[in-house]
Amino acid sequence: MAVTIYGIKNCDTMKKARTWLDGRSISYRFHDYKAEGIDKGSLDRWIGALGWETVLNRAGTTFRALPEADKTGLDAEKAAALMLAQPSMIKRPILDIDGRLLAGFKPDIYEAAFAA
């Protein structure tokens, strides 16, 4: 099983998700947005599968610090451009389990995903 977790190293939610995976001896690759960025193909796939509203982290400080003009009239294209320019605006974590995607971290959802 190929598992990749995408996020930012020092994010508290990321730490919880990685601790959960480690505690169950689940092997994974960690992709750090800050160090590695994110490619348009991956982001487009996530938006297609999860919806841009789910993938865009509106609660984060990076999004909240944007000028109002950037926040107004958001659609999939504008949101994708913002996330490509500043990957810290992407919801964390994005978990890819053999192509199956989860956004955010909730232990019960992870439990169900790995039980399947």
Side-chain angles (χ1 to χ4, degrees):
M1 171 180 351
V3 178
T4 304
I5 188 167
Y6 296 85
I8 295 171
K9 185 178 181 180
N10 293 326
C11 168
D12 289 339
T13 305
M14 285 297 303
K15 289 176 186 175
K16 291 175 190 173
R18 292 175 72 190
T19 297
W20 190 95
L21 294 167
D22 292 341
R24 284 151 185 81
S25 300
I26 296 170
S27 297
Y28 60 89
R29 183 176 91 71
F30 171 56
H31 179 105
D32 188 337
Y33 299 141
K34 292 230 186 222
E36 301 176 61
I38 195 65
D39 64 277
K40 184 173 177 357
S42 293
L43 185 60
D44 287 345
R45 184 170 66 89
W46 299 346
I47 290 170
L50 301 168
W52 69 268
E53 298 92 340
T54 298
V55 178
L56 179 64
N57 180 12
R58 293 180 197 225
T61 55
T62 305
F63 181 82
R64 290 187 313 218
L66 287 174
E68 270 313 306
D70 288 344
K71 296 181 203 177
T72 305
L74 278 176
D75 59 14
E77 186 177 329
K78 188 173 180 179
L82 288 171
M83 290 184 277
L84 282 171
Q86 297 186 61
S88 56
M89 276 193 257
I90 300 171
K91 176 94 169 174
R92 298 181 295 269
I94 298 290
L95 186 68
D96 185 330
I97 308 165
D98 287 333
R100 192 168 28 124
L101 299 171
L102 299 175
F105 172 67
K106 294 205 170 149
D108 55 331
I109 293 172
Y110 272 42
E111 199 70 54
F114 283 98

